[in-house]
């Protein structure tokens, strides 16, 4: 079963919305700005090879294909910033405070994970042709037994139940508002806002690099996406170079 909203193709079940969108792109069937939403994913993907799990119909599982010839691949973190802010914009319509972006692309409410972003790219040589922006946001789900970090949802936070399709359409608009701001040349402003809402910004945390766990204080994120921390010296870490292990 599937049906089409104004901007979103809605699937009952799929292995991965990112995979589905990628297949449409490769077949030349992705026209305009049509996103893919699924009530259920059987093989949802997260960062570091992890699987994104979600109870059927409870949450937003959305992939947004985007033609990317307008931005060099060397600036791909700029897209990540815009998308993260777009996701935060949606959450803050319903949660008034303590909504954070955890570097590089998770959404937190208080100290609990509320969602994540996985962006996959289609390149032709050095030309950035497409991105598929995969987003999972916890909306009505209440149990998160399989997560290693504490997780939450809008319903857990507010006590309200939400129409996930309506919120998916709102999310679509929020993301494109931020992308249009990026296209207009406002990245410095977007990055400043990203850093203002950075999870654990100014706080001491535990990070793991390879097999070493150490304590350091997060001070911000650079325009190229490096995490900046300070302890006995200032450090910079690339995405996937370190893993967050908790607040101190």
């Amino acid at each position: 079963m599937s049906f089409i909203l104004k901007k979103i193709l809605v699937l009952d079940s799929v292995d991965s919305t990112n995979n589905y969108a990628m297949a449409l792109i490769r077949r030349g069937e992705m026209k305009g700005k049509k996103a893919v939403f699924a009530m259920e994913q059987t093989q949802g993907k997260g960062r570091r090879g992890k699987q994104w799990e979600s109870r059927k119909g409870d949450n937003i599982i959305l992939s947004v294909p985007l033609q990317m010839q307008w931005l060099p691949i060397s600036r791909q973190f700029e897209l990540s910033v815009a998308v993260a802010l777009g996701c935060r914009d949606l959450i803050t319509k319903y949660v008034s405070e303590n909504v954070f972006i955890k570097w590089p692309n998770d959404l937190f409410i208080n100290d609990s994970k509320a969602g994540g972003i996985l962006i996959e790219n289609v390149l032709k040589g050095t030309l950035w042709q497409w991105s598929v922006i995969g987003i999972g946001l916890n909306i009505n789900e209440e149990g998160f037994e399989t997560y290693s970090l504490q997780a939450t949802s809008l319903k857990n936070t507010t006590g309200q139940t939400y129409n996930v399709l309506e919120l998916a359409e709102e999310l679509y608009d929020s993301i494109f508002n931020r992308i249009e701001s990026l296209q207009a040349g406002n990245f410095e402003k977007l990055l400043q806002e990203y850093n203002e809402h950075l999870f654990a910004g100014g706080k001491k945390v535990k990070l793991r690099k390879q097999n070493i766990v150490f304590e350091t204080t997060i001070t911000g994120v650079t325009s190229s996406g490096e995490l900046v921390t300070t302890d006995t010296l200032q450090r910079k870490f690339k995405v996937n170079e370190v893993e967050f292990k908790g607040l101190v």
Side-chain angles (χ1 to χ4, degrees):
M1 181 192 77
S2 66
F3 60 93
I4 299 176
L5 300 176
K6 183 178 179 182
K7 305 164 185 172
I8 300 174
L9 170 64
V10 180
L11 306 173
D12 183 63
S13 183
V14 71
D15 62 342
S16 158
T17 54
N18 267 27
N19 287 351
Y20 191 96
M22 279 289 188
L24 292 177
I25 290 169
R26 291 187 173 114
R27 294 199 301 265
E29 297 175 10
M30 182 56 70
K31 307 297 182 183
K33 296 179 178 178
K34 183 70 70 178
V36 179
F37 177 97
M39 292 293 181
E40 178 185 50
Q41 269 189 151
T42 58
Q43 298 177 39
K45 294 181 286 186
R47 288 185 62 246
R48 295 177 178 269
K50 295 179 181 178
Q51 187 168 345
W52 178 268
E53 298 183 12
S54 172
R55 289 192 179 90
K56 187 171 184 177
D58 274 355
N59 304 313
I60 291 177
I61 305 169
L62 186 72
S63 290
V64 183
L66 184 66
Q67 290 184 293
M68 289 303 305
Q69 293 90 337
W70 52 275
L71 193 66
I73 190 64
S74 60
R75 294 167 57 189
Q76 60 185 299
F77 182 67
E78 297 184 19
L79 178 63
S80 183
V81 167
V83 173
L85 288 171
C87 292
R88 184 182 181 277
D89 290 340
L90 174 73
I91 296 172
T92 55
K93 290 175 69 173
Y94 303 96
V95 179
S96 59
E97 58 185 12
N98 295 330
V99 180
F100 304 105
I101 300 167
K102 178 178 167 289
W103 176 83
N105 50 16
D106 285 335
L107 285 305
F108 269 49
I109 299 174
N110 296 312
D111 60 352
S112 299
K113 184 174 177 176
I117 302 162
L118 177 67
I119 300 177
E120 298 182 291
N121 300 312
V122 177
L123 305 178
K124 186 175 182 180
T126 59
L127 179 65
W128 191 2
Q129 291 191 313
W130 288 87
S131 275
V132 175
I133 304 162
I135 302 163
L137 292 183
N138 299 328
I139 305 301
N140 293 320
E141 190 155 356
E142 297 178 271
F144 300 95
E145 296 85 356
T146 61
Y147 288 97
S148 57
L149 289 174
Q150 186 175 350
T152 192
S153 65
L154 281 187
K155 185 173 183 179
N156 278 349
T157 305
T158 67
Q160 304 296 313
T161 301
Y162 300 89
N163 183 313
V164 292
L165 287 177
E166 289 180 1
L167 263 62
E169 291 189 301
E170 292 177 20
L171 176 61
Y172 178 101
D173 290 336
S174 296
I175 289 170
F176 274 101
N177 284 340
R178 293 295 190 163
I179 290 172
E180 288 166 6
S181 180
L182 176 60
Q183 290 174 320
N186 297 321
F187 175 63
E188 287 187 10
K189 183 178 179 181
L190 295 173
L191 181 62
Q192 179 181 352
E193 191 173 349
Y194 179 101
N195 276 305
E196 287 172 356
H197 302 298
L198 186 64
F199 179 73
K203 296 182 178 180
K204 186 176 286 189
V205 300
K206 290 181 180 179
L207 300 179
R208 183 173 69 186
K209 183 175 181 179
Q210 297 174 337
N211 293 323
I212 300 172
V213 176
F214 59 96
E215 296 183 1
T216 188
T217 299
I218 291 177
T219 59
V221 176
T222 70
S223 60
S224 60
E226 292 177 306
L227 181 70
V228 182
T229 73
T230 56
D231 38 75
T232 55
L233 48 82
Q234 186 182 82
R235 307 170 189 263
K236 292 183 180 179
F237 301 103
K238 293 180 172 60
V239 174
N240 293 330
E241 187 178 354
V242 291
E243 184 177 2
F244 181 81
K245 300 303 292 182
L247 296 168
V248 176

